[in-house]
Every structure is written in C-alpha cells, then in structure tokens.
Amino acid sequence: MDVSAYIQANREQFFADLKQWLAIPSISGDPAHHADVGRSAEWLAAHLRGLGWPTVEVWPTGTPDGPGLPAVFAEWPAEDPDAPSVVVYGHHDVQPVEPLEEWDTDPFTPTERGDSLYARGASDDKGQVFFHTLGVRAGMAAAGSGAPPVTIKLLVEGEEESGSVHFADLLRERRDRLACDAIVISDTTMWSADVPSMCTGMRGLTEAEVSLYGPSTDLHSGSFGGAVPNPLHAMAELLARLHDERGRVTLPGFYDDVVPLTDEERELFARLPFDEAAWLRTAGDSRAAYGEAGYSTLERVWARPTAEVNGMWGGHTGPGGKTIVPREAHAKLSFRLVAGQEPVKVQEAFRQWVAANTPEGIRAEVRVPGGGVRPCFSPIDSAGVKAARRAMERAFGKEILFTREGGSGPEADLADILEAPLIFVAVGLDEDRIHAPNEKVEMPLLLKAAEAAAYLWDELATALR
C-alpha cells in the first residue's frame, strides 16, 4: 500500500482520535484549566504508546517554587543507527475561548461542517501536531518497515500559548535526549489551500515602556505654559523622531545585523497572489499601506524590522477641559525583529537613543519586560528546506512557494539550544481563525500534510547525511 492509500484507509480513525484530543480544554493561560493541560499531555502520551512509539514520556516543567505545565516527548529510532535525527516541535495547549457567544458551536465539541473541523486547537496546534502521527505510520507502511528512515523525536510543549516560560530551561535540561540534525516546526501557516507554501522565518519581539517626567506636580497652563518643559510635548517629539521620512527606524545600528532578503526570496514573494486592497480590508479597513520605503507590503510584514507605538498617555484624559502642563507622560512600544537581530541589543540601543533625545528639563526612564523573543530564519537554499520542499511538492503535486510570518514563538530557542536548523512544514491557513472564535482546520489539508510528512523522512534521510 502506498502512502496516499494508507492515509485514506486510516482517515476516519485519524479524525476520530483527533476529536478526542480536541475535546480536552487545555488552556494554559487559565489556571482553572491547568489540570486539563496535564490531561491533554497524558492523553497524547497514551495515544502514542498505542500507536507503537517505542519511547513516550511526559516531561514536567518548572521548578518547585514555580511548577510549569507538561510537555510530551516521544521517540521512534531509525533502523540505521547512523541515520540522522529530527525533532518535530508543536504544542498541545490552546488559547482561551472567550467570547463564547461568538462561537457557532461549543469550542471543545469538535464539529465537522463540510471539509472543515471546528474546535479550539484544531489548527493551532493539535491538528498540526497530529498529522505527524499518521505520516510516520504511512511512511513505514509504504516502505514495509518497522522503523522510519530517520530517528524521529516528537516534542509537544504545554505552555506555548502562555509564553513558553519554562521551555528554554526544558531544552537545556533535556538537550542530550533532544540531540538532532534538524528541527521540523508544524505551528505556522501556508499561503492558501490552492497555493501551498513553506514558511522560512518568524519575526522576534521586544517591548519597552518609556516615561518622561517634568515638574513635580501638574501646573496651571496659564501661569506656566510655554515657560517650562511639557512632558507630553517632549513625548510627542521623541516618538516622532523614531522614524525618518522613508519609514526607517532611527535607532543607531538598528539595521546593522539584519539578514537581507535575497533576490530569489523577493522574486518568490512577488509570485504569491497578493491582493493589497483585499489585505487592507482585513487590516481594519486601513486606507493605505505604509512602511519602510523600497519594500513591498509582504516584505515589510515578513522580513523587515519595525518599531510601533502601542499606547501613549498622560495629563488630563477625562471629560471636560483641564488646562495644565502635565507632570509626566508615558508610552508603550514594541519592536518586531528579523533574522540577525538580538532583542537585548535593540533594548540597549533604545535606552541610549531615548537618553540622547530627551530634552533638557525632562527626566526619562525606560523599562523593558524581560529579554524578548528572538527571531528565527531558515535559508531557502539549505539542505533541509530543499528536502522539505520536495516532500511538499510530492504531496501537493505543484510548486511550493515561500512565505515568512510576522508572529513570534520559541523557535529561536529550539535552534540555538539544540544547535540545529529549522524546517517549517505546516498547513494552517490565515482563515483558520486561530486565537479567535470558530477556529477550524481544513481536513483535506491535514491529510496532505500527513502525506508530505511521510515523504519528508525519506528526503531528510538523504539530505542530512
């Protein structure tokens, strides 16, 4: 039986099992559901044992002072002891479901409508973890083998939707068990069902809050206005200087480490059927595209760093007038980072820039909430990406294009701590409404993904040697 035939023969059982897992409300961000996250891990572990995985373990996370939520580890060794090893990453925790009234069906009662399966976690990320369980079996059945051509190590996290707070420590503690030659990520999207694609990178993130202080108390603007520094005026001027007339961020050295887009990447991005007018409608009916000059909208969103003002406040904001010079002003900012940039380096550059641009008579404070999230990137000419592209093209029967994503996750920690390259193989869609009411996944795409995964192990067995 070939790969495709095996997958179709096991289709009904695959989705019946997936529905059982989706019914568990494993919401990591809600302490009331932490026991459900544990139940989700135990369900997956039991299911993998039932499928014949030789090694399956539930790994606790955290410390005695701050316990975390469990991850699941499973390993299926290759017959050849010298074969490459591959870690497959995903997560079994899910986002909260509020507002419940906007769901058409219960979020934890998986419901089929046509080719779509509706449930929280259907796309992000239980469905995309689960296709690997079918793909491994399909590949072995087609080969008539009791083991895959590469050693597969499945790592399914339980805290991704609440910041992966213990994940880096888990990777360090279990580094020997997770040693690998490549890491497959199945927690992203592709362009569309008709235009399959592979992600090659995700932006990182760092945030900051800046506060400007002037007089020790609010002042009467008639007595003091125009004669002492106004913190809100200073904040407006400061934030206005954050970008130049070409939309570039003005922090010294901000672009020094950015890995530039190659001509081939730009050409492949340009071949995607992007409708900017339609995209603007999805962007809150925005009236125009904006950003760094010299780049397309997709290039800006996927491969160029940004600085955004997320909020600004100070002085009188209640009803009626209050003619004052306010004593302080505040703003929150975020920086989306791309391949090559380090959050801590950007944080320090921002501190220095604020100090250099704060006017006389104003005191500035900058606070940053932690070390940020590092960006990740996979060159399209790497051996692993080429192998995955071939596997995807075998499954979908058409050329696979490339995308990147603007979101952030723990992928950079995986690549850095395990010292292995990333390969993104996923079939989520933007219209799957992840993190929103009525999340769904397209069932035919999960089956295509299982087929691609089955081919992937053969491809990587050769490409990674």
Side-chain angles (χ1 to χ4, degrees):
M1 183 179 294
D2 66 16
V3 165
S4 180
Y6 182 93
I7 288 171
Q8 290 304 319
N10 288 273
R11 178 189 190 281
E12 296 303 321
Q13 188 61 53
F14 170 78
F15 285 114
D17 293 337
L18 175 58
K19 289 176 184 177
Q20 288 188 32
W21 195 23
L22 290 171
I24 301 173
S26 50
I27 305 170
S28 62
D30 183 352
H33 285 284
H34 284 184
D36 292 317
V37 180
R39 191 157 60 94
S40 171
E42 294 293 347
W43 186 94
L44 178 60
H47 183 72
L48 293 172
R49 293 186 189 107
L51 294 178
W53 285 71
T55 299
V56 181
E57 301 170 5
V58 176
W59 285 354
T61 66
T63 65
D65 295 331
L69 299 172
V72 177
F73 172 78
E75 183 175 4
W76 204 318
E79 287 182 334
D80 180 359
D82 296 324
S85 293
V86 180
V87 164
V88 177
Y89 168 82
H91 62 91
H92 66 95
D93 64 319
V94 301
Q95 279 276 315
V97 294
E98 289 77 15
L100 268 174
E101 65 272 12
E102 294 187 15
W103 285 80
D104 296 331
T105 56
D106 185 283
F108 296 109
T109 302
T111 304
E112 291 186 35
R113 294 208 297 269
D115 285 336
S116 302
L117 175 61
Y118 289 82
R120 175 58 91 225
S123 181
D124 183 26
D125 183 41
K126 289 179 178 177
Q128 299 209 73
V129 168
F130 214 60
F131 74 65
H132 285 287
T133 67
L134 181 56
V136 169
R137 290 182 289 137
M140 291 192 298
S145 174
V150 298
T151 292
I152 301 172
K153 301 178 181 183
L154 188 63
L155 179 61
V156 188
E157 185 190 358
E159 297 183 328
E160 196 273 348
E161 298 291 11
S162 50
S164 299
V165 289
H166 300 105
F167 191 60
D169 288 339
L170 178 68
L171 294 176
R172 295 185 186 99
E173 292 165 7
R174 306 283 187 165
R175 183 175 175 178
D176 290 346
R177 298 286 303 278
L178 293 168
C180 62
D181 299 287
I183 303 161
V184 172
I185 307 294
S186 295
D187 187 22
T188 53
T189 61
M190 63 181 189
W191 184 261
S192 70
D194 296 330
V195 185
S197 63
M198 290 175 59
C199 177
T200 60
M202 301 176 73
R203 291 198 291 188
L205 172 69
T206 189
E207 298 172 274
E209 181 175 321
V210 57
S211 297
L212 300 182
Y213 300 97
S216 60
T217 185
D218 292 346
L219 300 175
H220 189 293
S221 66
S223 301
F224 298 98
V228 297
N230 183 316
L232 274 172
H233 292 183
M235 182 68 78
E237 292 176 359
L238 183 74
L239 298 180
R241 293 193 189 112
L242 192 56
H243 297 85
D244 66 16
E245 67 281 357
R246 293 180 56 80
R248 287 175 61 87
V249 179
T250 56
L251 303 189
F254 186 71
Y255 296 94
D256 288 356
D257 300 324
V258 170
V259 176
L261 281 162
T262 66
D263 291 341
E264 183 180 8
E265 286 177 298
R266 300 189 80 172
E267 188 271 329
L268 289 170
F269 285 178
R271 287 168 57 189
L272 292 165
F274 178 63
D275 182 336
E276 187 164 278
W279 178 83
L280 285 170
R281 289 193 291 273
T282 70
D285 290 317
S286 295
R287 295 173 178 83
Y290 166 82
E292 185 182 0
Y295 295 91
S296 70
T297 296
L298 289 181
E299 290 169 350
R300 291 168 183 160
V301 172
W302 290 342
R304 298 301 296 171
T306 67
E308 296 291 340
V309 179
N310 308 130
M312 179 179 174
W313 69 98
H316 177 62
T317 58
K322 189 178 183 184
T323 53
I324 59 169
V325 175
R327 63 180 180 178
E328 59 191 54
H330 309 271
K332 290 181 180 290
L333 301 94
S334 60
F335 298 86
R336 290 287 177 176
L337 310 179
V338 297
Q341 291 182 298
E342 292 288 341
V344 173
K345 188 173 180 180
V346 172
Q347 291 169 5
E348 183 56 32
F350 182 64
R351 289 182 191 277
Q352 294 180 11
W353 180 85
V354 169
N357 287 274
T358 300
E360 185 178 356
I362 297 290
R363 178 174 62 87
E365 289 183 1
V366 175
R367 304 177 187 88
V368 294
V373 178
R374 300 180 62 241
C376 62
F377 174 62
S378 298
I380 64 174
D381 59 355
S382 67
V385 171
K386 287 181 176 179
R389 191 183 192 192
R390 290 192 296 270
M392 292 276 285
E393 288 177 342
R394 288 173 66 184
F396 282 89
K398 57 178 64 177
E399 182 185 27
I400 301 297
L401 299 178
F402 291 107
T403 66
R404 296 195 198 178
E405 293 203 358
S408 305
E411 288 77 12
D413 284 337
L414 279 158
D416 290 347
I417 295 170
L418 301 186
E419 297 181 341
L422 301 174
I423 304 167
F424 295 84
V425 176
V427 293
L429 301 174
D430 285 344
E431 56 264 36
D432 283 346
R433 294 188 289 276
I434 64 172
H435 296 201
N438 300 309
E439 180 181 349
K440 58 88 176 174
V441 72
E442 294 301 302
M443 295 187 291
L445 287 183
L446 287 187
L447 300 180
K448 280 294 183 185
E451 186 177 348
Y455 301 144
L456 177 63
W457 310 129
D458 285 328
E459 296 285 355
L460 291 179
T462 300
L464 297 179
R465 287 186 184 271

